[in-house]
Amino acid sequence: MPSGAGQLKHLRLFSLAGLLWLAANLCAQATPQLERTAELTWQIDAPWFGGFSGIEVLDNGSTLRLITDKGRIINAQMQRDETGALTAITDTTWRKMRYRNGIGVKGPFTDSEGLALTPDGRMFVTFELRHRMAEVDPATGIMTPLPGHADFAGFGENSGLEALALHPDGRLFALPERSASRQAPFNLYSFDGTRWRITGQLARRGPFQPVGADFDANGTLYLLERAVTPLGFRSRIRRFDPDKTQQSDTTLLTTAPARVDNLEGLSGWQDAAGRTHLTLISDDNFMAIQRTQIIEYRLKE
């Protein structure tokens, strides 16, 4: 039997082990997790199909709106089983984005990337190659140009505003695909309806770059990032407090190379029970060797 000193030592060890176990369990409970609920490959044999870069899920997960790299607006319905899992995309229609004179966008002006919708149905789109943002009438495709930021002119041809998201307070937030260097953070641009400002910076961690974003009802920012490796694409999802962007990032998901295709669009939405879901879509670049993949996750707090 241990002596009094030995007993005290054992008690201290047991107490320390208990505290470590409790801390680990509290951390595990506090760390949010993503549970994959659906994964499907979507294909339509039509020349307009493909190149999906921006996504919004509406009506508690039943309506889908997309934009493509060719300046097209896609509307569709999302079919789900009794558990709420996505099973098919149906009733698909599309419309070309157009200038106010009715002429459709062409050439380098077509590369629409970021998508955000307001509760009253207004639609905002960011473009690469010719870096800009426009309000787009979803019924007609007519674009209304909006002011830019001085930084936009300095973006690389294929590294502009990939991610666009609407905050619950009405502000639009956008992120470029690249930062000033491989160590520099990503500037977070905010548009209040009149002008753009840099309102924060998101820490750059590893080779991942922003490609999609959305806010939840509480104003938490979810960011989809992509990395290209010799073995295939990788994806990561982080979330942030937009007012404390440098200190608040939490990684929710990181995929292995080639586990997913070229995921570029992210939409956060709530089901009828109030649970938060994230829907992701891949850009196949109109290439036969790639696929249009839709993956959904449910957030577990």
Side-chain angles (χ1 to χ4, degrees):
M1 181 175 180
S3 65
Q7 286 179 322
L8 182 59
K9 181 179 179 181
H10 281 288
L11 285 173
R12 286 174 176 170
L13 288 174
F14 286 137
S15 298
L16 178 59
L19 287 172
L20 290 173
W21 178 88
L22 179 61
N25 277 272
L26 287 174
C27 288
Q29 293 174 11
T31 302
Q33 297 179 331
L34 292 180
E35 176 188 18
R36 189 168 70 249
T37 58
E39 181 173 337
L40 62 86
T41 298
W42 182 31
Q43 178 61 48
I44 295 177
D45 187 15
W48 59 264
F49 184 87
F52 300 109
S53 50
I55 181 172
E56 288 284 353
V57 176
L58 310 170
D59 305 324
N60 301 123
S62 62
T63 302
L64 182 64
R65 179 164 292 162
L66 302 160
I67 57 173
T68 80
D69 295 344
K70 300 297 184 182
R72 298 184 179 107
I73 304 166
I74 313 298
N75 293 292
Q77 294 301 303
M78 309 179 80
Q79 303 302 320
R80 301 182 179 277
D81 64 19
E82 64 278 1
T83 70
L86 180 66
T87 57
I89 306 297
T90 62
D91 304 321
T92 306
T93 61
W94 69 276
R95 181 180 298 278
K96 187 78 171 178
M97 295 185 205
R98 303 181 179 277
Y99 300 108
R100 282 179 282 186
N101 61 7
I103 297 175
V105 291
K106 296 180 182 179
F109 294 92
T110 64
D111 192 8
S112 52
E113 294 288 343
L115 172 65
L117 300 177
T118 66
D120 62 0
R122 298 170 66 199
M123 178 175 167
F124 295 90
V125 177
T126 57
F127 295 81
E128 277 193 326
L129 298 182
R130 299 294 186 265
H131 304 297
R132 66 199 191 279
M133 185 173 77
E135 182 174 349
V136 182
D137 184 335
T140 65
I142 298 297
M143 303 182 301
T144 301
L146 293 171
H149 188 279
D151 288 358
F152 296 175
F155 290 157
E157 189 175 79
N158 195 35
S159 56
L161 299 177
E162 281 268 348
L164 181 66
L166 180 72
H167 192 278
D169 67 10
R171 290 178 296 164
L172 287 163
F173 285 81
L175 282 156
E177 189 175 0
R178 297 190 183 175
S179 57
S181 71
R182 293 190 176 185
Q183 290 75 42
F186 299 100
N187 285 337
L188 182 62
Y189 295 87
S190 173
F191 183 70
D192 62 7
T194 303
R195 66 188 182 99
W196 290 93
R197 293 185 300 134
I198 297 174
T199 54
Q201 292 184 315
L202 272 56
R204 180 164 184 159
R205 306 200 188 282
F208 292 90
Q209 298 170 306
V211 288
D214 207 353
F215 285 97
D216 65 16
N218 298 317
T220 300
L221 178 65
Y222 293 80
L223 177 66
L224 171 64
E225 298 172 291
R226 173 186 61 199
V228 183
T229 78
L231 299 177
F233 296 103
R234 299 184 67 197
S235 291
R236 182 172 69 189
I237 298 175
R238 290 189 289 165
R239 73 176 189 178
F240 300 80
D241 177 342
D243 296 318
K244 302 175 183 177
T245 53
Q246 287 283 55
Q247 300 84 25
S248 68
D249 63 306
T250 300
T251 299
L252 303 177
L253 175 75
T254 305
T255 69
R259 171 61 186 84
V260 296
D261 209 287
N262 179 31
L263 295 177
E264 277 203 12
L266 176 149
S267 176
W269 54 278
Q270 288 188 317
D271 61 23
R275 295 172 298 190
T276 297
H277 298 254
L278 301 179
T279 300
L280 316 177
I281 193 165
S282 65
D283 178 355
D284 67 356
N285 293 302
F286 297 97
M287 298 178 64
I289 61 172
Q290 291 184 248
R291 55 189 169 150
T292 297
Q293 191 176 38
I294 300 176
I295 303 176
E296 290 196 322
Y297 294 92
R298 181 169 58 239
L299 182 67
K300 298 177 68 176
E301 297 280 9

